[in-house]
Amino acid sequence: MTHVRNETVELSLNQATTRPYPLTETAEAAMQAGIRHIGLWIEPVEEIGIVRTRRLLADTGLSVSSVCRAGFLADKGGADLRAALEGVKRALELSREVGSPMLTLIAGGLPAHDRSIQHAEVRLRAAIEEVEPYARDAGVRLALEPLHPLFVGTRSIVTTIAQALRVTADFPADTVGLLIDAYATSWDSRFHDDVLAAGPRIAGYQVSDFALPLPVPENMNGRLFPGDGEIDLAALTASIRHAGYSGPIEVEIFNEDIWKLPLETIIKRTVSSFNRYVGEPLNESERQPA
Amino acid sequence: MTHVRNETVELSLNQATTRPYPLTETAEAAMQAGIRHIGLWIEPVEEIGIVRTRRLLADTGLSVSSVCRAGFLADKGGADLRAALEGVKRALELSREVGSPMLTLIAGGLPAHDRSIQHAEVRLRAAIEEVEPYARDAGVRLALEPLHPLFVGTRSIVTTIAQALRVTADFPADTVGLLIDAYATSWDSRFHDDVLAAGPRIAGYQVSDFALPLPVPENMNGRLFPGDGEIDLAALTASIRHAGYSGPIEVEIFNEDIWKLPLETIIKRTVSSFNRYVGEPLNESERQPA
């Protein structure tokens, strides 16, 4: 099997997009579709173990673009914080073992007793300071991901690229970077300026599409295939690349309806929507394995 | 009937909070509950007419804190834009006639053919430039309201206080101000700094509370009574007041479940939640009309 390298934009399949399917099946199907990169989630890797995961990656030729996700630190103190920090360290080790260049770091929300985002930022910085040497030792970059403002209280006090840059400013860019998700940040009138300001701190980039209404009971699961919503992914992606990011671009979709589709259908639509709305289209010969 | 003035914080009932009830009933019930200010919506005023509205305000002693809402300009061009601008001018005239100090201005979303927020800001500024002299002549302040980032594509390209300040910077603060809504902006790590930066440009302030999940089919209608969600309204309000704003504070709630309650129940809960979580509690003697 040979791959013709697409010099411009390479798709990575984030495993969330095919969440109901086992990692082994997803990896095989991705390979069959000509995909060369995968974003792994911790739980499915732990399910089959590091050794089998590495063998699967070798067999399918997939490289790991990221491991998702650890953190949820900003709302915690005491024993809860210690446990969460240990979780980040374990996730860094797992990321190293599967050959991932980075680990997605989610800030965490606000504790009930203190709704100050400023205080939470102080706690978050202190927590990153503790795990940053482990990231350096592991050779795995922590990638702080701003989430959509909807989730400020429950999942991430970090909601903009500018804020993520502020939080990470005192850390070396090669150990603490940013993961920029188009769905979470496309609303921001500062997107293009802040992406350029982020420059070499951009560790990764994820795409999906946005439309209202968000579904219940889980408002998070309204993500769509590129092109099915209102985000100008071509413009956002151009800024990301202009800022110097040249790594794989992950398609990461949370959507109950999409998860009901057959695995091959999800992957086929991932590739076609990515090629049409995010990356330069591949030639047919490039898209199929030889 | 006498009112003891609360020198610190005065509640205004935004009519959206009692949306299913006629303006006449809402105004009477608000007066009975000791409320002294009301935020009017254009449609119910037009329904009973200016003369009856003015008489109702005189009879109930209610002062108008705002008129909601006009705008939806950023996505438009040509004849659509002309019509929307005429709508703003008519709303300014209506605001003047009912004695409102301000008119809420909603930016508008993104047109299908151009998803650039930057381009939309250019159109919005040009549109404000056209209506600003009318605001000056009417003695009614245009109050640009940042909406929650959820609605960037459909309702408002202006999603942060900082952006609203940028858009309005070239206009006189006494004719083009900001309406700051806690629900729409509390997620912003820059809230306190940007509110202080806004200072005398703050034309109004609205409160309600936030929690997930947002309801379907209308994600907008998940607003809660103060204290029923996760926003630290006391802290946000302190910043608003520290920035120099001393006008009435509107409770503006969109919520299908709340709209099903009896009018008196909605108003009672509005007053009690406001007093507990936003303003200094009123004495019983202050809350009841004499």
Side-chain angles (χ1 to χ4, degrees), chain A residues 110 115-118 121 148-155 157 159-160 163 166 186-193 210-219 230-232, chain B residues 110 115-118 121 148-155 157 159-160 163 166 186-193 210-219 230-232:
Chain A
L110 293 167
R115 310 300 292 174
S116 162
I117 297 171
Q118 283 65 42
E121 276 189 19
H148 195 281
L150 273 180
F151 307 111
V152 65
T154 48
R155 285 186 169 94
I157 60 147
T159 52
T160 67
Q163 186 188 8
R166 209 165 63 232
S186 73
W187 59 269
D188 191 341
S189 65
R190 303 290 300 173
F191 181 91
H192 299 284
D193 294 310
F210 178 96
L212 293 178
L214 307 183
V216 288
E218 184 42 84
N219 290 157
E230 48 183 66
I231 301 179
D232 186 351
Chain B
L110 293 166
R115 310 301 293 174
S116 162
I117 297 171
Q118 284 65 42
E121 276 189 19
H148 195 281
L150 273 180
F151 307 111
V152 66
T154 48
R155 285 186 169 94
I157 61 147
T159 53
T160 66
Q163 186 188 6
R166 209 166 63 233
S186 73
W187 59 269
D188 190 341
S189 66
R190 303 292 299 175
F191 180 91
H192 299 286
D193 294 311
F210 178 96
L212 293 178
L214 307 183
V216 288
E218 184 43 83
N219 290 156
E230 49 183 65
I231 302 178
D232 186 351

Side-chain angles (χ1 to χ4, degrees), chain B residues 1-266:
Chain B
M1 188 175 129
T2 62
H3 286 289
V4 177
R5 185 171 171 78
N6 176 354
E7 291 298 328
T8 53
V9 178
E10 292 223 350
L11 162 67
S12 176
L13 176 68
N14 186 288
Q15 228 194 315
T17 306
T18 60
R19 178 174 292 174
Y21 297 98
L23 175 51
T24 47
E25 290 180 30
T26 289
E28 296 283 348
M31 177 196 70
Q32 292 299 326
I35 293 172
R36 297 158 44 96
H37 311 276
I38 189 164
L40 297 174
W41 279 62
I42 291 172
E43 297 77 7
V45 168
E46 288 178 335
E47 205 173 294
I48 65 171
I50 300 290
V51 173
R52 270 188 72 196
T53 300
R54 290 170 64 140
R55 166 56 55 99
L56 182 67
L57 294 167
D59 289 348
T60 55
L62 290 167
S63 81
V64 179
S65 51
S66 75
V67 165
C68 307
R69 61 195 180 171
F72 299 95
L73 306 162
D75 55 327
K76 296 188 177 65
D80 287 347
L81 178 60
R82 305 310 314 164
L85 288 168
E86 289 309 309
V88 175
K89 294 173 194 171
R90 279 196 309 275
L92 282 167
E93 178 60 15
L94 178 144
S95 301
R96 184 188 68 75
E97 291 184 314
V98 298
S100 176
M102 70 181 211
L103 169 66
T104 300
L105 188 72
I106 307 291
L110 293 166
H113 66 276
D114 182 357
R115 310 301 293 174
S116 162
I117 297 171
Q118 284 65 42
H119 295 174
E121 276 189 19
V122 170
R123 289 191 297 272
L124 177 60
R125 273 200 202 86
I128 294 175
E129 201 171 333
E130 167 147 355
V131 290
E132 187 268 336
Y134 292 82
R136 179 176 300 278
D137 288 350
V140 174
R141 206 173 181 190
L142 291 165
L144 183 63
E145 180 183 10
L147 298 194
H148 195 281
L150 273 180
F151 307 111
V152 66
T154 48
R155 285 186 169 94
S156 174
I157 61 147
V158 176
T159 53
T160 66
I161 297 165
Q163 186 188 6
L165 286 174
R166 209 166 63 233
V167 167
T168 59
D170 293 339
F171 301 101
D174 59 342
T175 50
V176 184
L178 264 56
L179 172 59
I180 297 176
D181 181 289
Y183 184 96
T185 56
S186 73
W187 59 269
D188 190 341
S189 66
R190 303 292 299 175
F191 180 91
H192 299 286
D193 294 311
D194 291 344
V195 160
L196 290 185
R201 211 175 275 273
I202 302 175
Y205 174 52
Q206 295 178 327
V207 295
S208 65
D209 216 335
F210 178 96
L212 293 178
L214 307 183
V216 288
E218 184 43 83
N219 290 156
M220 274 197 89
N221 294 344
R223 291 176 175 232
L224 305 172
F225 286 115
D228 285 355
E230 49 183 65
I231 302 178
D232 186 351
L233 287 168
L236 270 52
T237 304
S239 283
I240 294 282
R241 292 166 61 76
H242 190 53
Y245 180 75
S246 58
I249 298 173
E250 291 190 3
V251 175
E252 185 188 51
I253 296 172
F254 310 131
N255 187 306
E256 304 281 349
D257 293 329
I258 290 171
W259 287 331
K260 286 177 192 149
L261 298 172
L263 176 60
E264 289 69 22
T265 306
I266 299 176

Side-chain angles (χ1 to χ4, degrees), chain A residues 79-103:
Chain A
D80 286 348
L81 178 60
R82 304 310 314 166
L85 288 168
E86 289 309 308
V88 175
K89 294 173 194 171
R90 282 196 307 275
L92 282 167
E93 178 61 15
L94 178 144
S95 300
R96 186 189 66 77
E97 290 184 315
V98 298
S100 176
M102 71 180 211
L103 169 67

